[in-house]
Amino acid sequence: MADNHYKVIIIGSGPAGFTAALYTGRANLNPVIFEGMQPGGQLTITTEVENYPGFEHGIQGPELMDIMRKQVQRFGAKSIYKEITEVDFSKRPFILKTFEGEEYKADAVIISTGASAKLLGLESENKYMGYGVSACATCDGFFFKNQKVLVIGGGDTAMEEANFLTKYASEVIVIHRREEFRASKIMLERAKKNPKVKFLMNKVVKEVLGKEENGRKVMTGVILKDTKTGQTEELSADGLFIAIGHKPNTDLFKGILDMDETGYLKVKPGTTQTNIPGIFAAGDVADKTYRQAITAAGTGCMAAIDAERWLAEQEEL
Ligand SMILES: Cc1cc2nc3c(=O)[nH]c(=O)nc-3n(C[C@H](O)[C@H](O)[C@H](O)COP(=O)(O)OP(=O)(O)OC[C@H]3O[C@@H](n4cnc5c(N)ncnc54)[C@H](O)[C@@H]3O)c2cc1C
């Protein structure tokens, strides 16, 4: 189509975006994927992925995303390594603008911009991400069998992750910056009753410690600071799970698309249809519950099929 006008534009290149591209590509819709600031999405910042079906021995996150990209390119999907910074969904074709000010038009849009785990913001945390530091207990808990792990946070997510991790870890220490918890009473009680869970209050992590072992980075512990006394201490640990929440990447759609109170896009139950016909949402951006690569890929497939059917209906009108 002329003038940067495409049938389907996909915003985001994680498992949801690539799966949407795979299906729309095979449906001859020639999708364009805006890959954004993190081409390949969240899995590019992790190491082993052992729960994505089809890889008997697991696979490295960046490699999995490279394979997905190559697979969709076979079916004519085109990647554009730019970020969308403005959208106009008030009329059709829909208009999307890049950071550089270029304008693109689309008959249907699939939003798969993901959600980012909130992190502590330490350089050492980034350094050991995937080498002891994680933001996902469901994904990485298995790697910490009979080991000592720390969980940062004081909300329901932190309590849930702490309880979950006791299936594998020998000891789980919840570190919280305050005396009081945001977590609901029931979640807190469950964690407190768990004999493997301990609590360290009024502490923040100042640094993640680690070393090189056989050419591989390994986290060895943290430096904690007491928020009341200012005193610091070292605590050894094999793993650190940051459980201070997630932020869906939806700022761009504020005031345009329906969202819940935490910014996740709302879709019509059982579909990927947002409140604007022709705009679909898939993956973590519309899922605060599961947040897994396979569920993102699953809803990416749904969004592609929803978009394809919707486009066909428009042609019949
Ligand atoms: C450290 C870590 C380890 C994990 N391990 C596992 C695991 O082992 N197994 C598992 O199943 N899950 C794991 N997960 C979770 C998994 O990565 C996510 O559930 C999955 O990546 C979500 O896919 P998505 O396609 O919805 O979005 P994401 O992967 O978050 O991708 C979002 C995409 O949107 C793009 N984007 C955002 N805004 C814009 C914009 N304005 N314009 C253009 N592009 C934009 C980004 O550049 C990115 O490409 C892990 C997550 C983390 C953080």
Side-chain angles (χ1 to χ4, degrees):
M1 279 184 172
D3 303 333
N4 286 345
H5 186 167
Y6 297 93
K7 279 195 175 140
V8 178
I9 287 183
I10 298 164
I11 317 177
S13 55
F18 281 145
T19 308
L22 179 62
Y23 277 74
T24 49
R26 293 188 77 247
N28 288 332
L29 292 171
N30 302 315
V32 162
I33 312 156
F34 280 90
E35 295 227 9
M37 303 297 276
Q38 193 177 44
Q42 292 174 62
L43 285 184
T44 58
I45 60 159
T46 192
T47 50
E48 237 98 30
V49 177
E50 289 194 327
N51 54 9
Y52 198 84
F55 299 92
E56 188 186 356
H57 303 291
I59 183 165
Q60 296 288 305
E63 193 188 345
L64 175 60
M65 299 319 295
D66 273 350
I67 294 173
M68 284 196 200
R69 183 179 293 106
K70 285 187 189 134
Q71 188 179 3
V72 305
Q73 284 168 350
R74 264 185 67 206
F75 300 104
K78 180 172 134 190
S79 279
I80 297 180
Y81 292 87
K82 291 188 175 167
E83 192 186 356
I84 297 297
T85 49
E86 204 183 318
V87 293
D88 181 354
F89 293 160
S90 63
K91 53 186 183 306
R92 296 184 206 145
F94 303 117
I95 293 173
L96 297 88
K97 279 189 194 159
T98 64
F99 176 74
E100 294 78 8
E102 293 155 2
E103 212 171 271
Y104 290 80
K105 291 185 189 131
D107 296 332
V109 176
I110 297 174
I111 299 170
S112 49
T113 48
S116 311
K118 289 185 193 161
L119 298 175
L120 303 173
L122 304 170
E123 218 170 278
S124 51
E125 171 191 40
N126 277 341
K127 182 172 172 188
Y128 293 104
M129 183 61 73
Y131 298 93
V133 179
S134 173
C136 176
T138 315
C139 313
D140 297 330
F142 187 80
F143 299 120
F144 295 88
K145 274 191 185 151
N146 300 319
Q147 296 188 4
K148 176 177 167 186
V149 300
L150 313 176
V151 173
I152 311 292
D156 277 351
T157 310
M159 298 313 133
E160 200 175 323
E161 305 248 297
N163 271 319
F164 177 80
L165 286 165
T166 59
K167 286 188 194 187
Y168 311 102
S170 53
E171 187 181 356
V172 177
I173 304 177
V174 176
I175 296 170
H176 185 40
R177 55 166 56 231
R178 280 187 281 273
E179 201 91 55
E180 310 79 34
F181 288 95
R182 241 182 324 107
S184 57
K185 210 171 159 207
I186 182 163
M187 295 297 292
L188 184 61
E189 283 311 310
R190 203 173 291 159
K192 280 186 172 167
K193 272 191 200 146
N194 191 319
K196 281 189 179 178
V197 179
K198 296 192 180 72
F199 292 86
L200 270 179
M201 313 303 292
N202 302 314
K203 308 270 189 227
V204 288
V205 172
K206 291 299 291 173
E207 214 61 71
V208 180
L209 305 172
K211 61 177 183 187
E212 288 271 327
E213 206 173 71
N214 304 325
R216 193 183 151 92
K217 288 182 275 185
V218 193
M219 180 199 139
T220 54
V222 295
I223 297 177
L224 294 177
K225 183 179 172 193
D226 192 295
T227 52
K228 287 199 159 159
T229 64
Q231 271 185 341
T232 58
E233 65 181 300
E234 231 178 272
L235 179 65
S236 68
D238 305 294
L240 174 69
F241 287 83
I242 322 282
I244 53 176
H246 282 78
K247 187 185 178 307
N249 301 318
T250 54
D251 287 353
L252 177 61
F253 311 111
K254 271 193 185 137
I256 299 172
L257 293 174
D258 285 352
M259 303 176 186
D260 73 5
E261 64 293 347
T262 47
Y264 284 88
L265 293 182
K266 281 189 181 171
V267 290
K268 218 163 108 190
T271 77
T272 58
Q273 174 69 65
T274 67
N275 58 305
I276 298 184
I279 309 287
F280 305 87
D284 284 12
V285 75
D287 167 23
K288 63 157 71 158
T289 311
Y290 303 106
R291 291 195 298 247
Q292 293 296 292
I294 185 66
T295 47
T299 52
C301 158
M302 288 166 64
I305 294 174
D306 287 346
E308 188 190 340
R309 289 183 182 159
W310 184 81
L311 285 167
E313 278 167 24
Q314 302 313 299
E315 276 172 24
E316 282 164 16
L317 291 178

